[in-house]
């Protein structure tokens, strides 16, 4: 048995020897304090999980250490820890040197502290003076590797990577804290692209006690929404600030999401489990948005290239068709010439035959015309008159063929003169008609 405890028991025995064996509060707290001081004369290393982390107005930090995995079970063992402001510089130096750890709820740590009994509250507490960051990092790395192995074994590690990404993912579901720098950076990058992105924000804490539940719920909600892709973004922070993105529940929510998930978590050194299970991972929220812009721009370029190719092919086909048409036109012309050569020759012969027959018929007509003309000339009145005959006509110019009526005026034409007469009645003595 510890000698300090034995000494305390001895002192207690002396006190108990008082007449009624009753301790005063001051005596008892002093005895307890002395006992604890003798039992733990120097600093001790204690491991446990942080809960109830808070920073007082004075700048001092307070939290409880519990057994890892026990949650908020009030019946479980716990120890109050105080990290006074004056000792924080050395602790923060060790955390920073290890790669940027911070103390927060849910982190399992190994700390160096003095065991102290604080009579003012009647509590035993640890006065923290140092931390073993490599212990925490080792646990985080081990947990991360274990989760990754479980995801790989269950076929979930690269499941979301196989979800088809739409050619033009303009409708984006965004998981981040509303109003955060990550939100602003992501939205600015999309807007600056000039493409018609639409962002549906699902507000979620990305650090702290509620981050796990918020992230899982947001992924489930957006997985059922009318969006093309989901982006999970967070600004920079220490490794322990990003613990939520190494949790198995968040990783499974990403893996099982029916839509492709892009991660843009602000860390430049390590990759989180969320990064490795997501469809596409980027180092920052801006880079995540840029990856979406690049995908849309690649489609835009493919579309422009296709348009140019179609235009070029159309021109080539048009030129080829024009060449074929010209060749066909030439061939058709030659064929037509060949086909028309014989009809043309026949037509030429026919034309000559027709012309010859026409000339012969015209000559025959001329001969007949001359004969008719000669006949007409021969029987012309002038020829008749020249032979001593005369022609008598009525007043209207008609040739007198019958005996005109008495009193009619008639004109008698000879070769050299025309004279008029008036028909008189028949001479009763001779029976002849006389002229007047």
């Amino acid at each position: 048995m510890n000698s300090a405890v034995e000494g305390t028991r001895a002192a207690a025995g002396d006190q108990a020897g008082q007449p009624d064996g009753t301790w005063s509060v001051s005596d008892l707290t002093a005895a307890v304090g002395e006992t604890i001081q003798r039992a733990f004369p120097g600093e001790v290393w204690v491991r446990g999980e942080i809960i109830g982390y808070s920073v007082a107005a004075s700048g001092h930090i307070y939290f409880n250490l519990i057994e890892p995995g026990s949650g908020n079970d009030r019946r479980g063992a716990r120890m109050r820890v105080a990290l006074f402001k004056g000792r924080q510089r050395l602790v923060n130096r060790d955390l920073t040197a290890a790669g940027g750890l911070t103390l927060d709820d849910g982190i399992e740590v190994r700390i160096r502290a003095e065991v102290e009994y604080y009579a003012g509250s009647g509590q035993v507490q640890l006065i923290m003076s140092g931390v073993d960051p490599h212990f925490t990092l080792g646990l985080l790395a081990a947990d991360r590797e274990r989760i990754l192995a479980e995801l790989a074994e269950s076929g979930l590690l690269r499941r979301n990577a196989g979800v088809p990404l739409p050619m033009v993912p303009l409708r984006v579901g965004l998981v981040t804290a509303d109003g955060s720098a990550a939100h602003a950076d992501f939205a600015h990058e999309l807007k600056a692209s000039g493409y018609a992105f639409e962002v549906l924000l699902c507000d979620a804490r990305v650090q702290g006690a509620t981050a796990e539940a918020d992230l899982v719920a947001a992924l489930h909600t957006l997985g059922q929404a009318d969006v093309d892709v989901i982006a999970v973004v967070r600004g920079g922070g220490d490794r322990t600030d990003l613990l939520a993105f190494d949790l198995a529940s968040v990783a499974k929510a990403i893996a099982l999401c029916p839509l492709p998930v892009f991660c843009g978590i602000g860390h430049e050194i390590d990759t989180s489990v969320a990064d490795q299970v997501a469809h596409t991972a980027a180092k920052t929220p801006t880079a995540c948005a840029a990856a979406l812009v690049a995908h849309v721009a690649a489609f835009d370029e493919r579309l422009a290239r296709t348009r140019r190719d179609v235009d070029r092919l159309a021109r080539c086909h048009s030129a080829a068709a024009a060449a074929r048409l010209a060749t066909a036109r030439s061939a058709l012309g030659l064929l037509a010439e060949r086909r028309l050569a014989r009809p043309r020759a026949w037509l030429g012969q026919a034309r000559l035959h027709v012309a010859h027959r026409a000339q012969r018929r015209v000559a025959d007509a001329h001969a007949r015309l001359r004969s008719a003309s000669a006949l007409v000339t021969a029987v012309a009145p002038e020829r008749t008159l020249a032979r001593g005959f005369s022609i008598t006509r009525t007043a209207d110019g008609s040739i007198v063929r019958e005996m005109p009526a008495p009193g009619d005026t008639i004109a008698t034409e000879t070769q050299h003169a025309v004279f008029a007469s008036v028909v008189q009645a028949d001479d009763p003595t001779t029976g002849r008609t006389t002229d007047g």
Side-chain angles (χ1 to χ4, degrees), residues 327-341:
T327 302
R329 185 184 296 114
S330 177
L332 184 60
L334 292 175
L335 180 61
E337 285 294 330
R338 293 194 192 100
R339 294 284 179 89
L340 291 175

Side-chain angles (χ1 to χ4, degrees), residues 173-178 199-205 214 217-219 221-222:
L174 178 60
V175 179
T176 195
D178 188 9
V199 178
L200 176 61
L201 173 66
C202 194
D203 183 29
R205 292 291 302 274
D214 282 5
L219 285 163
T221 298
L222 290 178

